[in-house]
Amino acid sequence: MKFPEQVRRLAAVTAVVLAAVLVVRFVVIPASYFSTKLHRANAVKREVARPVSFAGVLACRECHEEQFDAKSHGYHKNVACETCHGPSAKHADDPMTVKPYAPRDRKFCPVCHAYDAARPTGFPQINPTAHNPLKPCITCHNPHDPVPPEVPHECSACHAQIARTKALSSHALLECTTCHTASEQHKVAPRSALPTKPQTREFCGQCHASGAANPDAPKVDLAAHGGAYLCWQCHYPHQPEGME
Ligand code: HEC
Ligand code: HEC
Ligand code: HEC
Ligand code: HEC
Ligand code: HEC
Ligand code: HEC
Ligand code: HEC
Ligand code: HEC
């Protein structure tokens, strides 16, 4: 008997699809895939066969007791050795031929410490451009026990931008303390003891009022100049301009 043309075509297409399904089922997918056990036994074998790349801190400790001890008490106690040094299993097996990476470059530490608003409040963050530029971080911080070094006592250590601005201005020769009285406490816990700031026009008048003793300071008529406004409403005190 003879089937109509469209039935034969349909049969051909069905046969091709069926063949494809069978090939995938029996040839492409490995038999182990149809195991009914919870884990495919071959997946475990596959993972175990991968090369080990991390040795773990206990291995490092055997040979580097000193770094281990330093780190275990310090701020970095929860940062693993291999987070910074990279996977080091090969080094632990054969320390003389394989050297691990040591991140001495200044670019490395800001991966965690660069200011980022998304980081938790209180996490120690710095601005890598402004925080002691050019020197590697490890010149001042021990990576295994990063106690911040003693706080420097120059105003410019913390107010670098104001200090740089003033250094190029006509007030370059005036000390910060000519206009601000700052206690030692301010340099240790800045917000708990804020320095004084000038309060009156007369303060600037000490040098700038006509008749004031300072010979280098240009003079203005204190009673009339600038009306009743405070001088720093028009002149930035750290970079005053004559505005000629
Ligand atoms: C079997 C002992 C041993 C183990 C385990 C070991 N190291 Fe070392 N490591 C050494 C020796 C020895 C050197 C010095 C090699 C040299 O000076 O050529 C060294 C050097 C280093 C250095 C210095 C690299 C440099 O550039 O100065 C680092 C970093 C280091 N190891 C990290 C690790 C870490 C991280 C681990 C754990 C994953 C580890 N080591 C495990 C023996 C070991
Ligand atoms: C925060 C990143 C960081 C962590 C965590 C860290 N290291 Fe280091 N490590 C460094 C840097 C940076 C240097 C290079 C120091 C230098 O050259 O002064 C270094 C240097 C070393 C050296 C070379 C000798 C020395 O002290 O300069 C060894 C050995 C070492 N580390 C082992 C370890 C071991 C072991 C651990 C875990 C217990 C560890 N490090 C954890 C960053 C780290
Ligand atoms: C993987 C992330 C990570 C890396 C990389 C890292 N740190 Fe840290 N750092 C931390 C953590 C976490 C703390 C502890 C924060 C805390 O105690 O709240 C810390 C604390 C510090 C502190 C103490 C700040 C304070 O509270 O007074 C300093 C300084 C510091 N790190 C410097 C460095 C330097 C230098 C490097 C590079 C060698 C470095 N860190 C690399 C995570 C990191
Ligand atoms: C010239 C020395 C010097 C260098 C270089 C330096 N620091 Fe510091 N760092 C300090 C001093 C001093 C302090 C404590 C006073 C302060 O907060 O400025 C400090 C404080 C910190 C703190 C704690 C800030 C906080 O809010 O508690 C972190 C984090 C830090 N540094 C990370 C770094 C990183 C990362 C680098 C490299 C990109 C670096 N430092 C380079 C001297 C240095
Ligand atoms: C350890 C870092 C540090 C040092 C050193 C430091 N300051 Fe400050 N200073 C701060 C911080 C932080 C603030 C508060 C800024 C804020 O609240 O916005 C501040 C605020 C000030 C203010 C503003 C007070 C106000 O009421 O707004 C003045 C003025 C000032 N400092 C002057 C000085 C002078 C002068 C010196 C040197 C004798 C000095 N500071 C040294 C960190 C420091
Ligand atoms: C000629 C006097 C004078 C000198 C010198 C001076 N300041 Fe000021 N400073 C002022 C006055 C005035 C204000 C108050 C501005 C205001 O209230 O708007 C001020 C404000 C500040 C503030 C508060 C924040 C701001 O920018 O308004 C800080 C911080 C500060 N000064 C730090 C310093 C430091 C650090 C130095 C030295 C590098 C310094 N000042 C030198 C007069 C001076
Ligand atoms: C309302 C804004 C304003 C106020 C407030 C103000 N000034 Fe001025 N000041 C100016 C302008 C504008 C100039 C430049 C034009 C001129 O010389 O009158 C100037 C110029 C100066 C000069 C330069 C004079 C010269 O010969 O080069 C000094 C010094 C000066 N002011 C100091 C002060 C002092 C001190 C105070 C507070 C007692 C003060 N100014 C308040 C606007 C002000
Ligand atoms: C201890 C003295 C002294 C005090 C206090 C002082 N100045 Fe001056 N100021 C000077 C001297 C000196 C110069 C000129 C330096 C030079 O250019 O030779 C000057 C220059 C200026 C100029 C002119 C800049 C120019 O380029 O023409 C202005 C404006 C000025 N000061 C504003 C102030 C203001 C505002 C205050 C108060 C916050 C103040 N000064 C406090 C000594 C002082």
Side-chain angles (χ1 to χ4, degrees), residues 36-240:
T36 51
K37 296 216 183 94
L38 203 51
H39 291 287
R40 240 179 100 209
N42 284 10
V44 177
K45 271 189 222 150
R46 186 191 64 208
E47 293 307 313
V48 170
R50 281 183 202 275
V52 174
S53 37
F54 290 91
V57 61
L58 294 180
C60 314
R61 183 186 193 175
E62 277 174 31
C63 303
H64 299 297
E65 192 76 40
E66 191 192 316
Q67 287 80 5
F68 176 87
D69 284 345
K71 194 176 79 68
S72 60
H73 306 296
Y75 282 103
H76 279 163
K77 59 177 177 290
N78 295 326
V79 183
C81 311
E82 289 165 288
T83 302
C84 294
H85 290 295
S88 307
K90 289 208 180 95
H91 164 70
D93 286 344
D94 186 1
M96 284 337 235
T97 18
V98 186
K99 263 213 171 189
Y101 161 73
R104 296 185 167 93
D105 194 275
R106 197 178 150 89
K107 287 198 209 79
F108 177 75
C109 313
V111 169
C112 291
H113 288 292
Y115 182 77
D116 179 343
R119 297 207 156 116
T121 318
F123 186 81
Q125 301 177 59
I126 49 122
N127 172 352
T129 324
H131 181 79
N132 302 300
L134 302 177
K135 299 192 196 92
C137 315
I138 56 175
T139 48
C140 302
H141 302 287
N142 177 347
H144 304 126
D145 186 12
V147 198
E150 204 198 329
V151 174
H153 291 275
E154 299 292 317
C155 312
S156 61
C158 303
H159 298 291
Q161 195 164 352
I162 292 176
R164 280 197 298 271
T165 305
K166 189 177 75 64
L168 299 174
S169 81
S170 55
H171 277 170
L173 299 180
L174 303 190
E175 298 288 343
C176 306
T177 47
T178 308
C179 302
H180 301 290
T181 309
S183 61
E184 281 303 308
Q185 172 74 7
H186 175 66
K187 299 171 190 165
V188 180
R191 287 186 182 83
S192 72
L194 289 175
T196 61
K197 293 188 288 191
Q199 298 294 328
T200 62
R201 290 165 55 86
E202 284 69 32
F203 181 88
C204 310
Q206 293 172 74
C207 298
H208 290 294
S210 10
N214 196 311
D216 300 328
K219 303 295 184 266
V220 293
D221 175 359
L222 198 61
H225 178 82
Y229 296 103
L230 292 166
C231 315
W232 46 92
Q233 286 176 288
C234 297
H235 301 285
Y236 184 50
H238 307 134
Q239 191 177 38

